[in-house]
Amino acid sequence: MTMKASLKGKYDADKTTGVGSFAVNAGDLKLRATMTDATLVAGPTLNGLSLAVEKPGSFIVEYNVPKKDVRFQFMNTVKIAEKSLNLTYIHSRGDNRTIVDGSLLIDSSNKLSANYMVGTNNCKLKYSYAHGGIATFEPCYDLAKNTWDFAVSRRVYGDLVKATYQTSSKLLGMEWSRNSKSSGFKVCASVNLAEEVKTPKLTAETTWNLEM
């Protein structure tokens, strides 16, 4: 039996938060408990606590304890003209929201994906092009807002540097991240170009992983 624990801390100018998880592999299933700093700071309490049962690549059932809400996620892969189409179905019982997500792997460099919230006009279409396994270009079209978002990422000595731009909000972002088996970090900076005073917003995340 394999047990894994992880702890993530997020820091910004307004507040500092933390999320911890503990997972146990039980055959084909993975049992996971996740809690936030709200679970322990005033507690211990049930705030921020969720429990999940997962079969990797097949399904996830997650129960939010304080909200008494169940979230179902089902994954499947089908072949279309010898191309892999990955499908994900997500349903949250509490707010009665259903999301369907699909991605079609055209080849090793090109991928098309779509995300749709059932019963609404919220739908996003994204095209991803990986150049030489080093750089990735991702334009995304939001049908509800009739706007485009753009992302460009590149590997630099094992680290990932990513730039994003949201045309609807004129939000420009930069991200630098590094991940390994035992730890990882992410530093983000964003600025709203529509504001008269363009003050950058900085956030940082650190993750520690432990396998037992």
Side-chain angles (χ1 to χ4, degrees):
M1 181 177 293
T2 303
M3 295 179 289
K4 295 182 179 180
S6 68
L7 178 64
K8 177 183 291 185
K10 184 176 181 179
Y11 319 91
D12 59 33
D14 299 324
K15 62 179 180 179
T16 299
T17 59
V19 177
S21 66
F22 181 78
V24 177
N25 289 332
D28 293 337
L29 299 179
K30 179 184 292 185
L31 310 179
R32 185 177 70 250
T34 303
M35 63 187 70
T36 69
D37 50 355
T39 312
L40 301 176
V41 170
T45 68
L46 298 180
N47 293 329
L49 177 64
S50 65
L51 306 173
V53 178
E54 175 183 358
K55 184 177 182 180
S58 182
F59 69 83
I60 302 173
V61 180
E62 185 173 12
Y63 179 65
N64 188 309
V65 177
K67 294 182 179 180
K68 298 181 180 179
D69 187 18
V70 180
R71 177 179 177 269
F72 302 91
Q73 179 172 326
F74 301 95
M75 300 84 78
N76 195 15
T77 300
V78 297
K79 290 289 186 178
I80 297 181
E82 299 184 354
K83 308 295 183 183
S84 295
L85 175 62
N86 299 315
L87 297 172
T88 302
Y89 171 90
I90 304 171
H91 178 72
S92 298
R93 192 181 66 176
D95 52 11
N96 195 27
R97 182 176 62 180
T98 301
I99 296 174
V100 179
D101 188 276
S103 62
L104 178 64
L105 186 63
I106 301 173
D107 53 39
S108 59
S109 299
N110 298 276
K111 182 172 69 174
L112 291 173
S113 59
N115 182 281
Y116 172 62
M117 185 181 297
V118 178
T120 72
N121 61 348
N122 292 333
C123 181
K124 292 184 178 181
L125 304 175
K126 184 169 67 174
Y127 168 70
S128 178
Y129 169 66
H131 180 71
I134 299 176
T136 303
F137 306 89
E138 293 180 319
C140 179
Y141 179 63
D142 190 324
L143 274 70
K145 298 180 180 179
N146 191 26
T147 58
W148 286 88
D149 295 336
F150 300 92
V152 179
S153 57
R154 181 179 176 85
R155 290 284 176 184
V156 181
Y157 300 111
D159 295 350
L160 182 66
V161 179
K162 184 176 183 179
T164 60
Y165 180 65
Q166 300 175 8
T167 58
S168 59
S169 59
K170 300 186 182 300
L171 189 67
L172 177 65
M174 290 292 296
E175 179 182 305
W176 171 35
S177 61
R178 177 187 298 172
N179 288 296
S180 67
K181 186 176 181 179
S182 60
S183 63
F185 72 84
K186 180 167 65 175
V187 179
C188 302
S190 62
V191 60
N192 193 326
L193 301 181
E195 297 179 349
E196 293 185 7
V197 181
K198 298 175 176 59
T199 304
K201 180 180 179 181
L202 299 175
T203 62
E205 293 183 8
T206 305
T207 305
W208 297 271
N209 300 309
L210 177 63
E211 184 172 334
M212 296 168 281

